[in-house]
Amino acid sequence: MKYYSTNGKAPIADLSKAVVKGLAEDRGLYMPERIKTLPKEFYENMGTMTFQDIAYNVASAFFGEDVDLDGLQDLVYDTLRFDCPVVKVEDNIYALELFHGPTLAFKDVGARFMARLLRYFTQNTQGNQNNLINVLVATSGDTGSAVANGFLGVEGIHVYVLYPKGKVSHIQESQFTTLGRNITAIEVDGVFDDCQRLVKSAFMDDELNAHMQLTSANSINVARFLPQAFYYFNAVARINKPSDIVMCVPSGNFGNICSALFGHEMGLPVKRFIAANNANDVFYQYLKTGQYNPKASVQTLANAMDVGDPSNFARIVNLYSENGKLTAEETHQRITSLISGCTYSDDQIRETMRQCYADTGYVLDPHGACGYRALKEQLKPGEVGIFCETAHPAKFKEKVDEILGTDIEIPERLAAFMRGEKQSVPMSKDFDDFKKYLLSQ
């Protein structure tokens, strides 16, 4: 499989280059040159297959030309050592629980897969384990912990996690600042978009790239976002309903819903999608107006979605414009025919969490609350809705307890992180300072 850049000015890449480089030379995001439709027999048998077997079939369509199938199967099965179950919350509304992995967040799937695929290429393809790969990742909450723990102890790879000072929860922060070893946490005096800007600027800096081999583990990397399609196929298989299925995804940087859309192109039987936003409503405004106007992110209760310029918007536009063949208006029409949006304030998120808990006993985290509310408001008769519960409520214990009047139990996996000692490097949002630091390493 070959990969091209959404900006159309970079050389075509193979999978190894796309994964190791992360970002194309022209600052575009890599896209697979084609998306394979899975055979009818797969969809007929999907309901009887295990999560791992479903994921292996999906992975084979994306990566089977570049990774030997036995190796790919081992990679998928090692990634998915946990389930992503579907839980009925109320009639016709289900939660796809994506918090059963090591760091209790949906990004465990993509981060673990990418770590293993990167190790596969460094060991089997490049054959040079002494050539250290430096992974740069910006996080607004859960990405940092998932990537740090996915890569922890992986030989030949060092991870730098950039996060906005004071804008992630204490529990989230403890999951990537207490690890040490090959993980370095960098506390940026700014917002998530500043962290993301530092990462992208580093990739484009010739001096840095001559000094060290850089890649990204954000959803800009094809090996991070594509594997997230696995659990959408699994969700549809577990529901096993003849009804029209609506998939609702709480969205920040749009890597998660982007993977679902790629799954839809492969034939995943989902009728339509809802992108649920918090107050950072850039995509919602695009759906309404056809104009994409990125802006500075604002801090909200659902902090992992605090993104004002979502990277994967470029992939969505590229996908539905057929790589620029359609006009902006035609592309907008295709997108809005499949995807609707919504945006919720912090007060609406609190109200939704309380209502859901009172009516059903189900505890939502702030991000899942956006997805649940969107389904309550937009689901039509005869449809079945699935929303992503993207993180364990205990990761936001103080907020959840305050809103619901509960005392959420902290799973031991989280408690162990919280007992660790914080290790972080303070950093301004100025790229020259960040560059100087990396060169010193």
Side-chain angles (χ1 to χ4, degrees), residues 251 277-283 296-300 305-308 343:
S251 299
N277 289 153
N278 57 20
N280 294 279
D281 62 350
V282 171
F283 186 77
S297 61
V298 296
Q299 189 172 355
T300 75
M305 294 155 55
D306 293 350
V307 183
T343 175

Side-chain angles (χ1 to χ4, degrees), residues 19-22 111 114-116 118-119 122 131-138 143-144 146-148 150-152 154-162 182-186 199 202-203 212-221 224 434 437-438:
V19 173
V20 172
K21 287 292 185 184
M114 182 189 167
R116 285 150 182 77
L118 193 56
R119 181 172 58 190
T122 56
N131 188 14
L132 182 69
I133 293 178
N134 298 277
V135 176
L136 305 182
V137 58
T143 296
V147 170
F151 282 89
L152 184 63
V154 176
E155 186 178 353
I157 297 174
H158 194 97
V159 177
Y160 296 90
V161 180
L162 287 76
N182 63 324
I183 310 297
T184 299
I186 298 179
V199 169
F203 292 145
M212 58 200 308
Q213 189 166 5
L214 301 176
T215 191
S216 171
N218 280 87
S219 56
I220 61 175
N221 196 303
R224 242 295 310 279
F434 181 51
Y437 170 76
L438 288 179

